[in-house]
Amino acid sequence: MKKIFLLFALVLLSNLTFAQNSEKAKALLDDVYNKVKSYDNIYVDFKYVLNNSEAGINQETRGEVTLQGDKYLANIFGTTQLFDGSKVYTIIPENEEVTIDDKSEDENALTPAKMLTFYREGHNYGMDILQNVNGRKIQYVKLTPIDTNSEIKTILLGIDAETKHIYKLIETGKNGTTSTFTVNSFKTDQPLSKTLFTFDEAKYKNDGYYIVRN
């Protein structure tokens, strides 16, 4: 009887610890979300690393994105992507081509507009390790997709404990691929051109670009 009671107590304590861990993680993620939403606009300069040792893949590049509400202007891999609130424009200078798509209907797709808020839905979460990075305390939260069919195994979200800004995102896929975003620069409420999120089709046509509408 004592063994059964001890086992029950251990299970209860484990569940209580997990619940407290989850509540702490939720509170931290809520702080991050509220901080992000308090800004008029955000500029992020980041490093992106894609790695899959079995497939012999190890790519590293730099990217940048400016966000204002749902609108964004992103540059990565030599490609510019612009979302003006209704259409997505993918500009590839190397091919002198612009592809125009209607707003994605896939609500689960991780777009630049969602890169700082995606964690709000569809995940279970708990506190992970706390790291010291050049004097900054980075608290990691571990996210696990609720959808068991998701290709993502886990996501580690590193958050600056003082500023509540996202510092690093480490996504591990079920196929062994790891994608890591590390924020080099995080600027807020910058003066933006009124036409920053406006696509000038005439300009690209005059420059000889081929326009593809999907």
Side-chain angles (χ1 to χ4, degrees):
M1 188 68 180
K2 288 183 178 180
K3 289 183 179 180
I4 294 175
F5 179 77
L6 179 60
L7 180 61
F8 177 76
L10 288 173
V11 171
L12 185 63
L13 181 61
S14 176
N15 289 339
L16 181 61
T17 301
F18 178 78
Q20 289 175 338
N21 197 19
S22 297
E23 284 301 312
K24 287 182 180 179
K26 181 181 184 304
L28 180 57
L29 292 178
D30 284 345
D31 285 344
V32 175
Y33 179 79
N34 291 332
K35 200 69 177 290
V36 166
K37 287 300 182 180
S38 72
Y39 300 125
D40 177 66
N41 61 71
I42 298 172
Y43 168 82
V44 179
D45 176 286
F46 60 88
K47 180 176 73 172
Y48 173 69
V49 178
L50 180 67
N51 182 271
N52 187 316
S53 55
E54 290 187 5
I57 298 174
N58 188 20
Q59 300 176 339
E60 181 177 322
T61 189
R62 175 190 162 276
E64 60 181 2
V65 59
T66 300
L67 306 159
Q68 187 173 51
D70 289 334
K71 299 177 182 180
Y72 64 80
L73 177 65
N75 294 285
I76 189 171
F77 292 125
T79 298
T80 297
Q81 191 170 82
L82 167 69
F83 178 53
D84 63 5
S86 61
K87 294 185 182 297
V88 178
Y89 304 87
T90 304
I91 305 162
I92 309 175
E94 184 178 358
N95 299 339
E96 294 188 336
E97 181 180 284
V98 178
T99 301
I100 304 176
D101 296 282
D102 287 330
K103 183 178 180 180
S104 173
E105 297 298 326
D106 183 5
E107 295 183 356
N108 295 319
L110 181 55
T111 64
K114 297 179 181 178
M115 66 182 295
L116 299 178
T117 58
F118 74 93
Y119 48 82
R120 291 280 289 179
E121 298 177 351
H123 301 88
N124 293 316
Y125 35 76
M127 299 292 274
D128 206 86
I129 63 172
L130 176 66
Q131 283 187 338
N132 188 308
V133 180
N134 298 324
R136 298 168 64 189
K137 291 183 179 180
I138 306 299
Q139 174 65 60
Y140 282 86
V141 174
K142 185 176 182 179
L143 309 175
T144 306
I146 294 174
D147 182 3
T148 56
N149 294 319
S150 173
E151 296 180 0
I152 299 171
K153 183 179 179 181
T154 60
I155 297 174
L156 282 173
L157 198 61
I159 298 164
D160 187 310
E162 182 179 352
T163 65
K164 301 300 188 294
H165 292 164
I166 293 175
Y167 165 71
K168 182 172 287 190
L169 184 155
I170 305 171
E171 178 185 288
T172 302
K174 292 179 179 178
N175 63 354
T177 299
T178 301
S179 301
T180 304
F181 292 85
T182 304
V183 174
N184 297 320
S185 177
F186 190 102
K187 299 178 181 179
T188 62
D189 297 338
Q190 301 294 293
L192 302 180
S193 167
K194 293 182 179 179
T195 60
L196 183 65
F197 303 108
T198 301
F199 177 69
D200 188 348
E201 184 170 338
K203 172 184 177 300
Y204 286 96
K205 281 185 176 180
N206 291 336
D207 289 344
Y209 275 65
Y210 182 62
I211 309 293
V212 180
R213 298 179 185 275
N214 292 332

